Amino acid sequence: MKKIRIRKGVYCDSVRLLLLSREMGDLDGVDRAMAAMATPTNLEILGQLGWSLEEIGDVAENDLLAAVDAADERTLDAAFQWLETRLKERVSGTGKGYHPRTLRTAVADAPSANLVQISIPGAYAFREAKRALMNDKHVMLFSDNVSIEEEVALKDLAGDRGLLLMGPDCGTAIINGVCLGFANVVPRGPVGIVAASGTGAQEISVLLARGGIGVSQLIGTGGRDLSRKVAGRAMRLGLRALAADPETEVMVLVSKPPEPEVAERILTDAASCAKPVIVNFLGENPDRITRGNVRGAGNLEEAAQLAIQAAGRRAISLGEGGVPALVEQERSRLKPGQRFLRGLFVGGTLADEAMLLLKTELGTLYSNSPVPGCTLLVDSSVSRGHTVLDLGADEFTVGRAHPMIDPTLRNFRIVEEAMDSEVAVLLLDVVLGYGSHADPAGATAGAVEEARGMARKDDRDLVVVASVCGTEGDPQNLDEQEQKLRDVGVRVFASNAQACRFCRELLRSGHAEDS
Amino acid sequence: MQRILDLFSQDLSVINLGLEGFGDALTDQGVDVVQMDWRPPAGGDRDLMKILDQMEE
């Protein structure tokens, strides 16, 4: 029997709720359980899992939902009681025994702290980030859903005080070799990165590491930094800092499609630096970027390769040999009616890069977050034709953990897409590193097997292609992660660009017509 | 700018406000971390929160 209980105005962070959900699901007699904030996305998931939403009544995003499926009423009550007890517990585990409730006490407790990392809901993030800056602390602001006006105010405050503010919506940074947010374990070295895109920065740092080159600093700016309103405030400051940093010999700038005027201002700054600067502004023609010491790169992989060259190393091959034979082998899985690609991404920049690499070949390409030349998917819960989804977009993450931490949403979607008889290929990204799920490939492999099972019932098969963004130093173990994917028949590539080129070849010649 | 360059030459010491997993990752990397036990101020009541902020300023 299934039941939902609501706790009004009770807050708990999404990752803790995810862990509590798993533990609650493991209690004796409990078949399935979910504890989550009452956001529209979470309500939709509960509905999909078979709970009746009618009994809930009016709920707000500040309310906590506990949903339990158990054998009998007594087990249900025991599970709800268990959750109540756990919710009352204060944080445990991290750091020392004392956990201050306010930033003021935290600063007093740790006066030598030099950075505040903030990952609370966006509505509260501005006031805490401002407090941190006023206390002369550098800030990594992971939170999204912060207004653009607040972003400008925070960046101006940081600029005035000479402090580093990374974010809002900064997913990735590496400062002094330490991974903040979602970041991979890469060696220290001569390349400094300033990134307005989290997974873009992860992909470049990982490919640099595969090429034997390390990173001096990886400064995140937040995804909107190169918009007209924010005007590249953080990227320009980051560029100046790396230009003055003696450890940095080569700089890499990366951003999702920027506002042209802002891009131009940054390129002018870059051209005045004495160091080589490699720039990947997704969707921008590299030839228009290249000038003097500045080299434009067409995609993330090329940016890494150019940086390796600029640092005095020969560009390396990333092992893309034998593609035609592999394409034929994979194509033999497909039936004539199977012609569409569904890209299900946890990394926003990787989704953007996929669209840019695929749109010319595939024709109409839909997305919840389209790059120029692609078409907005009006209802992001239903794919059509060729679709590339950014499952880390705000619409999917309010009140729940990012899909790099919680694979539930993508796993649903992997199975859902497989039920569409016109789908030929699923294109995925699997991102390792600190901050990410402990076993992302394992979680994905389970869904891929289920998806294949669904397709086979209908006498079909699917091609599943994935890139793995990770290094041997990452906590998840790169080799094992790749093997888990290969074990369920996933075609694995070392970069997203390679995975996209493979899909492009696969869908060429007759499979790629639009509906 | 000098403050940022100074940061690049110091050991990181972090106050983590939010997801505990991020704090745990820093501890794993040998970084000093103070994990806050943050809850929405004023029980999430935005109006009350504004009044508290004004009082503080």
Side-chain angles (χ1 to χ4, degrees):
Chain A
M1 58 197 305
K2 290 186 166 74
K3 205 161 195 174
I4 298 180
R5 279 197 192 160
I6 299 141
R7 295 281 280 106
K8 288 272 179 197
V10 171
Y11 171 78
C12 186
D13 82 55
S14 52
V15 177
R16 185 147 181 256
L17 286 173
L18 180 67
L19 297 174
L20 289 174
S21 299
R22 283 188 196 146
E23 286 181 43
M24 192 160 53
D26 288 339
L27 296 175
D28 277 350
V30 174
D31 291 329
R32 197 193 270 269
M34 178 171 155
M37 301 310 290
T39 63
T41 312
N42 288 336
L43 289 169
E44 194 183 319
I45 289 176
L46 276 180
Q48 283 174 1
L49 290 172
W51 271 277
S52 162
L53 301 180
E54 285 168 14
E55 62 181 283
I56 296 178
D58 279 345
V59 284
E61 294 188 4
N62 259 346
D63 300 335
L64 191 146
L65 297 172
V68 180
D69 184 1
D72 53 49
E73 196 84 37
R74 234 173 91 183
T75 315
L76 279 174
D77 284 340
F80 287 129
Q81 193 51 50
W82 175 91
L83 182 66
E84 278 299 311
T85 311
R86 293 299 306 273
L87 285 171
K88 281 180 192 143
E89 289 172 7
R90 292 198 164 185
V91 294
S92 57
T94 302
K96 302 181 190 85
Y98 172 60
H99 304 295
R101 297 289 292 265
T102 68
L103 197 53
R104 187 187 298 171
T105 41
V107 168
D109 188 47
S112 61
N114 44 22
L115 189 139
V116 179
Q117 179 168 252
I118 301 173
S119 56
I120 56 177
Y124 309 101
F126 172 77
R127 69 198 295 275
E128 303 294 353
K130 185 177 168 191
R131 276 192 186 143
L133 293 169
M134 293 304 286
N135 279 285
D136 292 329
K137 306 298 179 195
H138 302 280
V139 174
M140 155 84 171
L141 182 49
F142 180 85
S143 309
D144 56 8
N145 296 306
V146 173
S147 78
I148 203 152
E149 290 74 20
E150 289 176 336
E151 176 169 349
V152 169
L154 287 174
K155 284 183 171 170
D156 282 344
L157 179 62
D160 289 346
R161 300 180 81 84
L163 295 162
L164 196 59
L165 168 75
M166 299 183 283
D169 198 15
C170 175
T172 299
I174 302 176
I175 300 297
N176 305 343
V178 173
C179 297
L180 297 164
F182 298 115
N184 301 88
V185 178
V186 298
R188 294 201 74 178
V191 179
I193 303 172
V194 189
S197 93
T199 42
Q202 285 192 265
E203 179 89 339
I204 290 175
S205 67
V206 162
L207 294 174
L208 287 171
R210 287 188 187 229
I213 289 278
V215 168
S216 56
Q217 307 288 347
L218 193 173
I219 298 172
T221 68
R224 288 186 309 211
D225 192 62
L226 276 67
S227 64
R228 185 186 298 260
K229 280 192 177 160
V230 189
R233 281 168 164 81
M235 186 168 276
R236 297 182 76 194
L237 182 64
L239 184 66
R240 284 210 305 281
L242 292 183
D245 172 34
E247 303 298 318
T248 301
E249 295 167 26
V250 176
M251 295 183 280
V252 177
L253 307 181
V254 57
S255 172
K256 297 179 185 191
E259 181 71 28
E261 290 164 27
V262 179
E264 200 48 47
R265 204 176 305 165
I266 288 168
L267 291 173
T268 305
D269 286 1
S272 70
C273 293
K275 300 174 183 180
V277 186
I278 313 301
V279 180
N280 175 222
F281 288 157
L282 284 170
E284 182 63 85
N285 181 349
D287 293 338
R288 285 181 43 181
I289 290 173
T290 299
R291 62 195 74 179
N293 61 320
V294 181
R295 284 286 302 276
N299 56 53
L300 301 165
E301 184 184 72
E302 195 185 336
Q305 282 175 328
L306 288 173
I308 291 168
Q309 279 173 0
R313 302 280 187 94
R314 256 167 13 115
I316 46 125
S317 158
L318 292 160
E320 202 182 0
V323 164
L326 295 179
V327 166
E328 279 316 309
Q329 198 181 326
E330 290 293 327
R331 195 180 277 154
S332 67
R333 291 179 189 267
L334 301 176
K335 294 198 158 179
Q338 290 183 269
R339 54 198 181 129
F340 290 131
L341 171 135
R342 299 285 156 83
L344 305 174
F345 284 86
V346 298
T349 306
L350 299 177
D352 286 350
E353 185 182 52
M355 285 182 253
L356 290 164
L357 287 167
L358 293 166
K359 65 178 184 179
T360 313
E361 194 70 40
L362 301 189
T364 308
L365 186 54
Y366 294 93
S367 176
N368 61 324
S369 174
V371 298
C374 293
T375 308
L376 179 69
L377 186 66
V378 179
D379 177 359
S380 55
S381 65
V382 184
S383 302
R384 54 183 296 201
H386 298 297
T387 293
V388 169
L389 286 178
D390 170 11
L391 293 165
D394 288 356
E395 71 211 78
F396 294 114
T397 56
V398 175
R400 60 177 298 116
H402 192 279
M404 271 157 62
I405 301 173
D406 178 2
T408 310
L409 264 184
R410 179 160 79 173
N411 286 349
F412 273 142
R413 202 62 186 244
I414 287 172
V415 177
E416 216 170 272
E417 303 297 351
M419 299 200 288
D420 182 339
S421 63
E422 289 185 305
V423 168
V425 52
L426 299 180
L427 171 60
L428 311 172
D429 56 345
V430 175
V431 183
L432 314 186
Y434 279 113
S436 285
H437 190 275
D439 180 16
T444 307
V448 167
E449 275 196 302
E450 195 182 337
R452 280 240 160 84
M454 300 293 292
R456 283 193 183 122
K457 273 188 202 157
D458 197 22
D459 204 25
R460 287 179 285 119
D461 197 358
L462 283 169
V463 177
V464 186
V465 177
S467 65
V468 177
C469 177
T471 69
E472 285 164 9
D474 284 331
Q476 293 91 345
N477 190 327
L478 176 64
D479 287 345
E480 274 179 28
Q481 290 288 302
E482 290 187 341
Q483 194 53 47
K484 280 184 183 181
L485 295 170
R486 289 194 188 102
D487 286 347
V488 293
V490 177
R491 192 58 70 182
V492 178
F493 290 92
S495 77
N496 182 49
Q498 286 179 23
C500 291
R501 287 196 289 268
F502 184 84
C503 291
R504 208 161 61 184
E505 285 304 311
L506 184 88
L507 291 170
R508 208 188 287 265
S509 69
H511 288 277
E513 306 134 36
D514 188 24
S515 59
Chain B
M1 177 61 65
Q2 191 52 46
R3 276 180 159 168
I4 297 175
L5 294 175
D6 289 346
L7 174 73
F8 291 168
S9 62
Q10 295 165 354
D11 284 338
L12 273 197
S13 172
V14 178
I15 294 170
N16 189 47
L17 207 175
L19 303 177
E20 286 172 59
F22 286 159
D24 292 339
L26 289 168
T27 305
D28 288 350
Q29 294 175 81
V31 175
D32 276 344
V33 183
V34 173
Q35 172 67 44
M36 285 180 55
D37 181 14
W38 182 89
R39 308 281 167 91
D45 182 328
R46 305 277 168 90
D47 293 334
L48 190 55
M49 193 167 87
K50 274 185 194 154
I51 294 168
L52 288 175
D53 285 349
Q54 280 164 3
M55 283 167 66
E56 194 176 303
E57 279 171 20

